[in-house]
Amino acid sequence: VIITLSQTLNNSTNSKVNCVAEISHKEFWEKEDFPNPQINIDLCGRHCKTSWICDPNAVLSSQQADELDSIVNTVAESGKCSCQNCTSTDGYNISIALVSSLKPSIKSLKDSAVEFIHFIRDSWNFQKCDNDIVILLSKDDRKVYTEAGATANKFLTDDCIDQVHDIIESDLSDGKYYDVLKEMATQYKIILSEGNCEYISEKRTMTIVAFTVGAVFGTIVLTFSVCALILNRKQGRYQKQSDDEEIDKKVVRTSRPLYHSNHSFDGVTGEDICNIDKDNNEGIKDNC
């Protein structure tokens, strides 16, 4: 046991040369067992690199985790610090924990997640004056949670966190975990830089207005199109009716006899009776 503990400590503190990275196959995680990405570099799925991300089940690809690390590093080095004693590069510390699933308990999933994230925020201790933020993503549960320290929470308020969670809800449901975390880290970066999240509400308002205007314009265009179609059909029917009437007149004219016959039939004798007319020259003309 002493040898194993010694090896673990060596792996945690020695250089990358002595580190053997491991991928966990745990189905559920308990908060006490979850590793620290700045210390347990062999257990966080970051290939023996110190990181702000602990992904022991490899939910993300190495490249995706690197890109997220780059975003949160810019926040940590932004100089936007609310602590009393700050250096020129001090910023807010965002860290990310990814698990396959949270261990079931008699508590609700949300209560278990809140307990989990609060524990690792305290144990990781990536802060100087409560200026840290921890994001917890549970892959199989399709849930994400955020806890901000008291100082960070002055700007990244609970309302701001809820608004960002609303933005990523559809991607989370679709299992786009990298897109979810990238959007969250980016939005938190903007909020901490701006000092508020009013831009989100303004952006939503503009989107709603644009959608409404587009819907009204589309309705008008559709109405005109339908009216034009109905008018064209009516004109087509009137034209067809007029053409049919003209055709009927031509048929009547061409089918009318050139003269009236005086030919008749005697029903009594059963003989044909022909009327004989005289022409102007006293000649006989047979009309039969």
Side-chain angles (χ1 to χ4, degrees):
V1 174
I2 295 174
I3 294 174
T4 303
L5 178 59
S6 175
Q7 289 175 340
T8 301
L9 291 174
N10 285 335
N11 284 341
S12 301
T13 57
N14 287 354
S15 64
K16 297 179 184 179
V17 177
N18 298 324
C19 177
V20 179
E22 296 181 14
I23 299 297
S24 174
H25 299 287
K26 279 190 175 185
E27 185 178 0
F28 303 108
W29 280 96
E30 294 187 15
K31 58 184 184 297
E32 295 84 1
D33 298 331
F34 202 73
N36 183 318
Q38 292 283 317
I39 298 174
N40 311 117
I41 59 175
D42 55 329
L43 301 176
C44 275
R46 298 295 289 120
H47 305 286
C48 293
K49 293 186 290 188
T50 56
S51 174
W52 298 110
I53 301 166
C54 191
D55 182 18
N57 295 95
V59 176
L60 304 176
S61 70
S62 180
Q63 180 181 353
Q64 289 172 338
D66 287 342
E67 291 177 1
L68 286 176
D69 253 333
S70 178
I71 295 173
V72 298
N73 267 323
T74 61
V75 179
E77 298 171 357
S78 66
K80 290 284 185 178
C81 177
S82 297
C83 300
Q84 290 183 351
N85 299 316
C86 302
T87 68
S88 59
T89 58
D90 282 343
Y92 295 91
N93 295 306
I94 299 175
S95 53
I96 302 171
L98 296 97
V99 298
S100 292
S101 184
L102 296 172
K103 187 174 182 179
S105 68
I106 59 174
K107 299 179 180 180
S108 68
L109 179 62
K110 182 177 180 180
D111 288 341
S112 298
V114 169
E115 191 176 277
F116 188 103
I117 196 172
H118 183 72
F119 180 89
I120 63 172
R121 192 177 76 82
D122 280 348
S123 64
W124 287 0
N125 196 27
F126 300 153
Q127 51 89 25
K128 294 181 64 175
C129 61
D130 283 334
N131 65 335
D132 60 329
I133 301 104
V134 177
I135 299 171
L136 169 65
L137 186 144
S138 181
K139 173 177 172 287
D140 296 338
D141 299 316
R142 300 289 173 94
K143 297 292 183 182
V144 66
Y145 306 90
T146 301
E147 179 170 297
T151 303
N153 195 232
K154 292 177 182 178
F155 305 111
L156 185 61
T157 63
D158 293 344
D159 180 61
C160 289
I161 291 172
D162 288 341
Q163 290 191 52
V164 174
H165 282 196
D166 288 341
I167 293 173
I168 54 86
E169 186 176 0
S170 61
D171 281 345
L172 184 62
S173 298
D174 293 338
K176 299 177 180 178
Y177 306 116
Y178 169 68
D179 293 337
V180 165
L181 295 172
K182 181 180 179 181
E183 183 68 21
M184 292 180 72
T186 301
Q187 293 295 336
Y188 290 171
K189 176 182 177 181
I190 297 172
I191 292 169
L192 293 169
S193 177
E194 295 287 330
N196 61 68
C197 58
E198 293 176 1
Y199 74 95
I200 296 178
S201 299
E202 293 173 357
K203 184 177 180 181
R204 284 182 173 179
T205 301
M206 292 177 63
T207 301
I208 292 171
V209 170
F211 177 80
T212 303
V213 171
V216 171
F217 181 75
T219 302
I220 293 173
V221 172
L222 179 62
T223 302
F224 275 111
S225 299
V226 171
C227 290
L229 180 62
I230 293 173
L231 182 61
N232 287 337
R233 286 184 176 179
K234 284 184 178 180
Q235 289 177 343
R237 285 198 297 268
Y238 292 152
Q239 184 64 43
K240 185 176 184 301
Q241 182 179 356
S242 177
D243 292 344
D244 290 344
E245 290 176 354
E246 185 64 28
I247 292 172
D248 289 341
K249 290 178 182 179
K250 290 181 180 179
V251 170
V252 170
R253 287 198 298 269
T254 55
S255 62
R256 183 176 297 159
L258 298 177
Y259 62 86
H260 295 284
S261 173
N262 290 324
H263 182 260
S264 62
F265 181 76
D266 184 356
V268 178
T269 61
E271 296 179 353
D272 289 335
I273 300 174
C274 292
N275 296 323
I276 305 301
D277 296 332
K278 291 183 179 181
D279 59 18
N280 294 331
N281 296 324
E282 299 297 329
I284 303 293
K285 182 167 64 176
D286 185 357
N287 290 328
C288 297

